[in-house]
Amino acid sequence: MTDLLAETTTSAASIVQERRVVTAVPGPKSQALHERRLAVVPAGVGTTLAVYIEKAHGAIVVDVDGNQFIDLGAGIGVTTIGHTNDAVVAAATEQLNNVTHTLFTITPYESYVRVAELLAEHTPGDHAKKTVLVNSGAEAVENGVKIARKHTGRYGVAVLEHAYHGRTNLTMAMNFKASPYSTGFGPFAGDVYRAPSSYPFHDGLSGPDAAKRTISYLEKTVGASDLACLIVEPIQGEGGFMVPADGYLPALQDWCTANGIVFIADEIQSGMARTGKYWASEHFGVVPDMVLSAKGIAGGLPLAGVTGRAEIMDSAQPGGLGGTFGGNPVAAAAAVAVFEQIESNDLLAEGTRIGATLTAGLLELQKTYPVIGDVRGIGAMIAIELVQPGTTDPNPEAVAALSAYAAQNGVLLLTAGTYGNVLRFLPSLAISDELLADALSVIAEGFARL
Ligand SMILES: *Cc1c(COP(=O)(O)O)cnc(C)c1O
C-alpha cells in the first residue's frame, strides 16, 4: 500500500512538462468512461470535454489515454500554484495522517486559525479582520450576505450585470445569466437588485460615469438605506473577465462607505495570487469591507473563506456561522502551504510574467485576426472577446470552434462570457513561457483555420 502510494506520487511529479497528443481526443478509454458516466451522472452536470484525467502536475494534465494537455484553465482557476504542487501534497498528506476531521466548532485545531491569520495579513487594509471558513464559493457568498444583513439590519443585496456568484438558491438569484444556471429552478430568493456594471469594451464609459450609472440605478430602484451590501467581482469571472474602467470601483466603495452599505469583493476567481497581486481589488486601490475567497485558496482542495472587518464579522451570534465540513483540517493545511509557496517562491511575480507573455501574444494575433475584438485582463487572468469582424457583436461560434480546435491539439482552453463570446486564459502560475508559446501557436493555427 505504502509502495503504491509512493509510486503514484512519483509518477505525477515526474510528468514531463510538454504537450503530447497520442490518440484522437477524446481517446478510446475516455470514451468508454464517458459511456459509464452518461448512465449514472445526470445531464445537468455538464461536460465541457469528455476527456478523463488520470494525473496532473504543474501545468500539464494527462488523460487515461496518455494524452498530455497544456492546462490553460487550472480547473477554473483552482490549481493556481500548479497541479499536485509538492508542498501542498506533502502538507495535506501529513494532515491526513494526523487528523482528518473534528469539526472546528466542536473541538478546534490550529490550521484553521492559521488560515484566518494569513487571510487577515494578506487581504487589503490593515484594520482588524476575522474569517469564517466554509466549503465552496457559493457558500462564502451566502455567508457574506448573511453577515452583512445581520450587521446592517437591512435586507437588500446589490449585484452587478454579468455577475456570477454560484449555484445555490440565493446565488442563483444573484447571477446575471439565467441559462444554464437558474432556468426552471425557481422560485428564487428575493431582495436582490442588479445594477449596470462597467464594461469598457461595450459601454465606453469612464469609471466615474459608469459608477454614477450604477449608483443612480440602485438609489432609484431600492434606495441606499435599504441595502445591506453591494457585491462586486473586481474582475468579473464567468461574465468574461471584464476589467472595470479606472475609478469605477473606488467610486462604488466611497458610496457604500458613505451610506453604511457593506462593500463585498467576490475574489473567488480573481483572488489568491491570480493577477500578480493577492487580490484583484489591490489593482484598483479599493479596500473591501469583506473579501470572499475560494477556488485557488487551497491548491485544489475544497475550501472557501469570508474575511471581513472584525466588527462586521462579529455581528453574527455564536452558532450562527459554520457547518460540518467548513475549514476541514486537510484543506486548511493545504491552504497554509499555498500561502507559504506564494511567499517563498515569489509567485506574485509569476502572475505578472504570465500576463505580459499572454497579452503580448494575443495582441499580436489580434493584428491578423479582426475576429479578436478585445484583449483584456490582468496577470494570469486574461481573455479575448471574439466578435463579428468590424462590430462588437458576439461571435460564440468562433469561440466554440477555437476551444474545440485547441482541445484536439492538446490545449485546454476555457470559454466564458455572457454571450459565450469569450475565451479565457487562467493557467497555473507554474506554467513556463515555453508552454505558453506552444499553446499560443496552437491557438494561432486555430484562428488561421477559422
Ligand atoms: C466559481 C465562483 C463562485 C462559486 O464558487 P463555487 O465554489 O463553485 O460555489 C462564486 N463567485 C465567483 C466569482 C466564482 O468564480
Side-chain angles (χ1 to χ4, degrees), residues 136-139 141 164-167 233 237-238 266 268-269 294-295:
S136 69
E139 208 187 339
V141 175
Y164 177 79
H165 297 292
R167 283 186 169 90
E233 297 159 82
E238 303 302 301
D266 178 345
I268 289 166
Q269 193 159 155
K295 292 199 162 85

Side-chain angles (χ1 to χ4, degrees), residues 105 112 131-134 143-144 146-147 313-323:
T105 56
Y112 188 120
T131 292
V132 54
L133 295 178
V134 292
N143 278 280
K146 248 167 83 167
I147 296 164
M313 299 302 289
D314 275 334
S315 56
Q317 64 280 16
L321 305 177

Side-chain angles (χ1 to χ4, degrees), residues 242-263:
M242 286 78 114
V243 180
D246 278 347
Y248 178 69
L249 292 176
L252 293 190
Q253 171 170 27
D254 289 347
W255 177 71
C256 285
T257 304
N259 290 282
I261 300 163
V262 179
F263 182 64

Side-chain angles (χ1 to χ4, degrees), residues 196-229:
S197 54
S198 170
Y199 192 165
F201 181 59
H202 285 274
D203 62 31
L205 293 178
S206 72
D209 284 349
K212 216 177 283 170
R213 185 176 64 169
T214 305
I215 291 165
S216 93
Y217 179 90
L218 289 171
E219 283 180 338
K220 284 288 162 248
T221 58
V222 48
S225 62
D226 276 340
L227 279 178
C229 55

